[in-house]
Amino acid sequence: MTYTTGEIWLTIGVLAIGTFLIRFSFLGLIGDRPMPAIVLRLLRFTPVAVLPGMVAPLVLWPAATGGTPDPVRMIAAAATMGIALWTRNVLWGIIGGAATLYAGLAITPFL
């Protein structure tokens, strides 16, 4: 399936307008009115919900392996979560997960 340059820009433009309208319907219409406490509390969890949603497909179906699950990446993801929970520090979790991933990728050819 191929698209012309105009079709691609039309798609990008339609998506940009749609994204703006979705966000404006929530943020623009509320304006500076105070939000209920439950909404403010739930909004604090948005980054916690978005980050795993972005990372999970990369762990379960990585493009580097053609979409097949890779044990090294799954172990690295588990190490990231374990280290972050143990240390209560996201940065140490990321560093530990990256170290686990690269160590696993380095030793996998020798197994």
Side-chain angles (χ1 to χ4, degrees):
M1 181 176 282
T2 58
Y3 296 101
T4 65
T5 303
E7 290 171 335
I8 291 172
W9 280 110
L10 178 66
T11 302
I12 291 171
V14 169
L15 290 174
I17 291 169
T19 300
F20 174 78
L21 290 176
I22 289 170
R23 292 180 183 180
F24 183 76
S25 67
F26 180 70
L27 298 174
L29 296 178
I30 289 177
D32 57 351
R33 290 183 221 147
M35 289 193 275
I38 186 74
V39 172
L40 292 174
R41 184 173 179 197
L42 292 175
L43 283 175
R44 289 188 301 180
F45 295 109
T46 302
V48 175
V50 169
L51 192 58
M54 290 172 36
V55 172
L58 298 173
V59 171
L60 296 176
W61 306 287
T65 62
T68 58
D70 184 22
V72 172
R73 286 168 173 79
M74 290 185 188
I75 291 170
T80 302
M81 286 184 54
I83 293 169
L85 288 172
W86 180 48
T87 61
R88 298 272 186 205
N89 189 324
V90 174
L91 188 58
W92 280 117
I94 292 171
I95 292 170
T100 304
L101 175 65
Y102 286 110
L105 291 175
I107 64 170
T108 299
F110 302 110
L111 298 178

